[in-house]
Amino acid sequence: MTPERPDPVVPTATYRLQLQPSFPFGAAAAAVPYLASLGVSHLHLSPFLESVPGSTHGYDVVDHARVRGELGGEEGLRALAHTAREHGLGLVADIVPNHMAMSPRHNRPLWEVLREGPGSPYARWFDIDWEAQGGRLLLPVLGQPLGEVWDQLKVERWQDAHLGYDGHVLRYYDHVLPLREGTEELPLPQLVDAQWYRPAWWRLARTELNYRRFFSISELIGVRVEDPEVFAATHGKLLELLADGVVDGLRVDHPDGLADPGGYLRRLHEATGGRWTVVEKILADGEHLPAGWPVAGTTGYDALRHLDGLFTDPAGVGELLGQYRRFAAPQADRGGHWEATVRRAAYKVVTHELATEVDRLTRVANRLCAASPDPALRDRAPWALRTALRELLVRMEVYRPYTPGDTASVVTEEAAAEARQAFVVPEEGGAVDVVRGLLLGQGRDADGPERVEFRDRFAQTSSALRAKSVEDTAFYRYVPLLSATEVGGSPGSPAVSPEDFHAYCARVQRDWPATGTVLSTHDTKRSADVRAALAVLTECPQRWADVLAEVTRAGEGVPDAQLAWAAWQTAFGLGPADGERLQGALLKHVREAGLHTAWTEQEPAYEAAVAAFVAAGPCGAPGEHVAALRGALEPYIRANVLGAALVHLTMPGVPDLYQGTESEYRALVDPDNRRPVRFPPEALDVPGEKGALTATALRLRARRPAVFGDTATYTPLDAEGPAAAHCVAFARSGEVVTAVTRLSLRLADTGGWHDTRLPLPPGRWADLLVPEREFTGHARVEELFARLPVALLERVGEE
């Protein structure tokens, strides 16, 4: 039985664990003593409801009513919660409301829909356009066109206790599909045509798919949680676990995929009794979280961008970009200019990966125009509406709008004017104004169901387009500084001034004091320590260019200069590593970039050339030049690593630590960053400087939560003297001071701190990272940072 818990609480710090069959609940429970000693208040668990067998991430849910058996089932989860409570820890759950796995043999609601069609009580669960595909659901599961795999389709008898099914099925290798009642005796051609689904070649998903999915991943089907019955069915087990005290808080995955994120979050808030909840919302530069959402804040990618930017040299960024352009000579819209690269990537995604989503939007718009009593909407050709939609979508600079009211600031008149230029005949360009008017809620019947559907689908498509074109394409094409191409990042302007950083922290403390903050996650393309190393290159762009010239002369067979630049930066950031990890990350890099090869259109010759280059270059003898540069820059990398870690742990918000990152942690994009972590069997001191710093800061937060909580204060502290710009400091509630070194290589090049001083708030201040040291008044920064490039001070008394 789980011990009773008090009313909902805000965590002081969370620790993310990636559950998977090789790291189940039992392994998490074994790590509890160590994690409790570290100083976190809650374990942040990756999705743990039943998912596709063997899944290493859990985002492919198949049954919302069961805790995943491969992890130890509900008994294992409750046992983990009990162990955690005994050590003073709670649990935060990562939940996936947007989608389920497109795996009928494991997903019973989907199985029933395939068997019974739109008449199934489960049909309301899924976002399916039954009017398309002749009233059938397209299943893109065939390896080749239907006629070429006909002999592989088999009708068999099949039983499954979990599905409660005993009957005939249509089998295609591992795909098992139920038969519509009364069709099992038909000849195969008629049998296939008689089903509520259409088995089809996987490549047809791009243009023919008639169900909403997660981004462009056809294996994940969208769920309609806006329906109250679907919400109740998909959240019942989670609400039970919350009510029983097994789970204390929630992380909501991808709310932007939902039809009405605000409405969903309000329903969730009411159902959970206001538990601490953060949302995986990616905020563009200057964008703010909707004030009306009843959540504690985001999962923290906005904090990550500001933290990374603080340790990025604004002057060096421009110089590094110039060196990159000279070395790689990229076309402006294929990696040479950020905005142009994003725009071209968006056109590619909207006309290819998301073509079916745009077609569905076009059908809704066409129906609205044809049925409208407003003559201004009549005589609009579907092709013109489709073009208008594409042109407006590619100009979206945020993930999505949420209400007709805020659409005007997102789908701007300036964007509409640009979109009209895509039409040769100006009158046909009026389709842009029609579409924009529908989105803004103009005209009669603005709140009619089809108008609402159109606005919702536009917003959902916009979200998918932004993610696919920016995170999954442009980030791999625009590569002057890889540390800037991170989720939530702004590669076109990656540096953040101390003034802007302080302003951001002040807003967070005022508006969202319990928001999440992160430096590394299961989705970051490079861990914080890798990015910290790469940021140093902005302080020495010429040295970097000289090293690249040296390794290029070594003649390692560069397949293309853009890839070479990215590969050498990846090797620099990772440091000495397993060549297989580097090969895997760079193969993913070139496929995501889609310039010479892609996941769905692979070019074996190019990929072989990339593999040969990586083996002979970054993993070969020329790699020693890059390793030597990294070695020479190690003191400055250390300053960035420790500085970012300390600021993260003491700035406003609730810090979330990704597994293993309390100590040095160098990882690349998934699956590299989702490798299981080995924890000490019992409470131990965390090894290394970063480990000691992390444990000290976390234990301070646990010991003095009010200093960092909702009612805390955040006060910037300005250093004085010749090197003042290199010291970033702030006070929390007048009781704790954080001070870190910024741009330490530039600092060394200009002769160091000299007589720079940091005016401390009144009192005596003990150094928690270097015990037995105290400071008062105007502390000399050179003395403050004598042992470490950072300082964490606690007020211990009056002067």
Side-chain angles (χ1 to χ4, degrees):
M1 182 151 177
T2 303
E4 291 186 7
R5 286 284 287 173
D7 291 335
V9 296
V10 174
T12 61
T14 61
Y15 190 99
R16 169 77 174 204
L17 292 173
Q18 287 296 113
L19 301 168
Q20 51 187 296
S22 60
F23 190 85
F25 296 130
V32 162
Y34 163 75
L35 296 174
S37 75
L38 188 61
V40 299
S41 66
H42 288 72
L43 305 183
H44 170 194
L45 305 181
S46 61
F48 54 65
L49 296 181
E50 195 65 67
S51 59
V52 172
S55 173
T56 59
H57 51 80
Y59 289 96
D60 44 2
V61 177
V62 295
D63 190 343
H64 293 90
R66 292 193 300 163
V67 176
R68 188 175 177 187
E70 288 179 302
L71 301 180
E74 187 167 340
E75 182 179 352
L77 174 62
R78 289 179 179 268
L80 169 60
H82 184 88
T83 300
R85 300 284 186 252
E86 289 182 327
H87 288 79
L89 302 182
L91 303 182
V92 171
D94 190 350
I95 65 172
V96 192
N98 178 68
H99 52 266
M100 295 180 73
M102 193 69 179
S103 179
R105 63 185 298 183
H106 304 113
N107 183 339
R108 184 171 179 269
L110 181 60
W111 178 273
E112 296 300 329
V113 171
L114 297 183
R115 191 163 68 96
E116 300 178 7
S120 168
Y122 289 104
R124 66 193 304 166
W125 278 47
F126 303 106
D127 199 350
I128 300 169
D129 183 3
W130 290 103
E131 293 183 18
Q133 295 298 322
R136 302 165 74 194
L137 177 64
L138 185 91
L139 294 182
V141 297
L142 305 181
Q144 295 174 289
L146 180 63
E148 298 179 29
V149 298
W150 192 257
D151 292 342
Q152 282 81 55
L153 297 178
K154 308 293 181 184
V155 176
E156 301 176 355
R157 187 84 181 182
W158 198 66
Q159 293 179 320
D160 189 289
H162 170 60
L163 294 172
Y165 187 81
D166 182 0
H168 287 84
V169 297
L170 182 66
R171 178 186 284 276
Y172 173 73
Y173 293 104
D174 291 337
H175 296 282
V176 178
L177 306 171
L179 295 183
R180 185 175 178 177
E181 188 175 354
T183 64
E184 60 272 9
E185 300 298 332
L186 294 174
L188 188 59
Q190 289 91 331
L191 180 147
V192 170
D193 289 342
Q195 304 312 312
W196 290 112
Y197 52 85
R198 174 192 165 194
W201 187 24
W202 66 271
R203 286 189 176 274
L204 295 186
R206 176 177 290 177
T207 55
E208 309 300 315
L209 205 67
N210 60 334
Y211 60 85
R212 182 173 63 83
R213 51 193 169 159
F214 173 66
F215 297 158
S216 60
I217 302 175
S218 302
E219 293 80 8
L220 297 172
I221 185 171
V223 177
R224 298 182 62 253
V225 290
E226 63 270 20
D227 185 307
E229 289 187 24
V230 177
F231 177 92
T234 55
H235 288 68
K237 176 56 65 177
L238 287 167
L239 295 176
E240 176 191 328
L241 294 170
L242 282 163
D244 289 351
V246 176
V247 171
D248 301 299
L250 302 174
R251 173 203 185 267
V252 180
D253 180 69
H254 189 48
D256 276 350
L258 305 178
D260 179 13
Y264 167 78
L265 293 170
R266 287 188 288 273
R267 180 175 284 128
L268 183 68
H269 179 77
E270 181 178 352
T272 66
R275 300 300 182 100
W276 183 80
T277 299
V278 291
V279 290
E280 187 201 24
K281 168 61 189 166
I282 310 301
L283 297 170
D285 194 13
E287 182 186 11
H288 299 292
L289 193 66
W293 285 7
V295 297
T298 72
T299 55
Y301 286 116
D302 47 319
L304 183 153
R305 184 176 71 81
H306 284 84
L307 282 161
D308 279 1
L310 184 63
F311 296 92
T312 301
D313 184 359
V317 163
E319 190 178 343
L320 190 67
L321 175 60
Q323 296 287 1
Y324 160 71
R325 287 171 172 164
R326 283 188 287 275
F327 180 89
Q331 296 178 25
D333 61 354
R334 291 166 66 90
H337 185 274
W338 171 243
E339 286 78 9
T341 298
V342 171
R343 180 67 57 83
R344 178 168 182 148
Y347 273 116
K348 180 232 178 204
V349 172
V350 82
T351 56
H352 290 80
E353 289 96 323
L354 297 181
T356 186
E357 283 77 8
V358 175
D359 283 348
R360 187 171 182 179
L361 260 178
T362 303
R363 288 195 296 272
V364 178
N366 190 48
R367 285 199 304 268
L368 285 169
C369 290
S372 175
D374 185 351
L377 271 64
R378 298 292 184 88
D379 289 345
R380 299 297 175 183
W383 75 263
L385 294 171
R386 181 183 295 107
T387 301
L389 283 162
R390 285 175 178 169
E391 294 297 324
L392 288 175
L393 282 166
V394 300
R395 287 169 173 79
M396 293 287 288
E397 296 183 358
V398 297
Y399 272 64
R400 61 170 285 172
Y402 297 98
T403 65
D406 68 25
T407 301
S409 63
V410 173
V411 187
T412 64
E413 174 53 42
E414 291 77 10
E418 286 185 18
R420 291 186 208 103
Q421 295 176 14
F423 293 85
V424 176
V425 178
E427 291 81 0
E428 290 177 333
V432 173
D433 301 293
V434 168
V435 169
R436 185 167 184 263
L438 293 174
L439 294 173
L440 296 180
Q442 297 173 350
R444 304 179 214 175
D445 196 29
D447 294 322
E450 281 215 302
R451 286 284 195 99
V452 173
E453 179 192 0
F454 179 71
R455 292 196 294 265
D456 289 347
R457 295 207 180 285
F458 181 90
Q460 290 171 308
T461 304
S462 171
S463 168
L465 173 60
R466 187 72 181 173
K468 290 300 298 180
S469 60
V470 175
E471 294 175 33
D472 293 346
T473 307
F475 276 4
Y476 292 93
R477 294 181 174 184
Y478 184 82
V479 294
L481 178 63
L482 290 182
S483 60
T485 55
E486 195 50 83
V487 184
S490 181
S493 54
V496 173
S497 70
E499 294 76 18
D500 287 346
F501 180 80
H502 288 314
Y504 166 78
C505 287
R507 287 195 304 273
V508 170
Q509 184 61 49
R510 182 191 67 208
D511 299 334
W512 305 97
T515 189
T517 64
V518 294
L519 267 177
S520 296
T521 76
H522 63 288
D523 274 338
T524 44
K525 302 184 187 306
R526 294 158 196 91
S527 65
D529 292 353
V530 172
R531 301 196 311 274
L534 289 166
V536 174
L537 297 180
T538 65
E539 301 179 63
C540 57
Q542 186 59 56
R543 290 175 69 177
W544 175 247
D546 291 344
V547 168
L548 255 61
E550 185 68 30
V551 297
T552 301
R553 280 196 296 272
E556 68 282 355
V558 177
D560 71 84
Q562 241 173 305
L563 177 275
W565 178 280
W568 286 116
Q569 274 203 15
T570 302
F572 175 87
L574 189 61
D578 182 350
E580 187 175 340
R581 293 173 61 198
L582 204 59
Q583 288 276 9
L586 289 168
L587 177 60
K588 177 166 184 168
H589 182 106
V590 295
R591 287 179 176 173
E592 295 283 14
L595 294 174
H596 302 282
T597 186
W599 292 104
T600 55
E601 290 89 21
Q602 294 174 19
E603 290 290 341
Y606 176 79
E607 293 186 1
V610 170
F613 158 70
V614 174
C619 294
E624 295 176 5
H625 295 279
V626 169
L629 176 64
R630 181 180 172 112
L633 298 178
E634 203 61 50
Y636 317 108
I637 295 172
R638 170 182 177 247
N640 281 3
V641 168
L642 298 180
L646 183 58
V647 173
H648 174 223
L649 295 173
T650 55
M651 68 185 288
V654 177
D656 180 52
L657 273 75
Y658 186 62
Q659 58 183 22
T661 60
E662 65 271 23
S663 299
E664 183 181 55
Y665 182 85
R666 303 181 195 174
L668 303 176
V669 70
D670 65 278
D672 185 65
N673 64 4
R674 299 183 187 182
R675 292 167 293 143
V677 175
R678 299 184 67 178
F679 293 98
E682 55 189 27
L684 298 170
D685 287 334
V686 188
E689 286 181 333
K690 185 186 175 189
L693 177 153
T694 302
T696 299
L698 287 173
R699 291 164 187 168
L700 173 63
R701 291 188 70 104
R703 179 164 53 84
R704 305 195 65 181
V707 171
F708 302 93
D710 287 7
T711 60
T713 61
Y714 177 90
T715 307
L717 300 178
D718 295 326
E720 300 171 351
H726 293 279
C727 178
V728 174
F730 53 84
R732 302 304 316 276
S733 305
E735 295 293 324
V736 170
V737 166
T738 290
V740 302
T741 305
R742 174 177 178 264
L743 309 184
S744 58
L745 176 55
R746 295 287 197 200
L747 173 67
D749 289 344
T750 56
W753 292 110
H754 300 289
D755 194 36
T756 303
R757 294 175 181 267
L758 179 65
L760 298 173
R764 290 187 298 110
W765 297 86
D767 188 342
L768 299 183
L769 300 178
V770 185
E772 301 181 359
R773 293 204 315 161
E774 289 189 1
F775 298 90
T776 59
H778 285 55
R780 293 186 69 248
V781 175
E782 188 171 27
E783 181 182 348
L784 190 67
F785 295 149
R787 292 275 301 277
L788 293 170
V790 300
L792 178 61
L793 309 179
E794 182 179 18
R795 198 169 76 88
V796 292
E798 302 300 327
E799 290 186 50

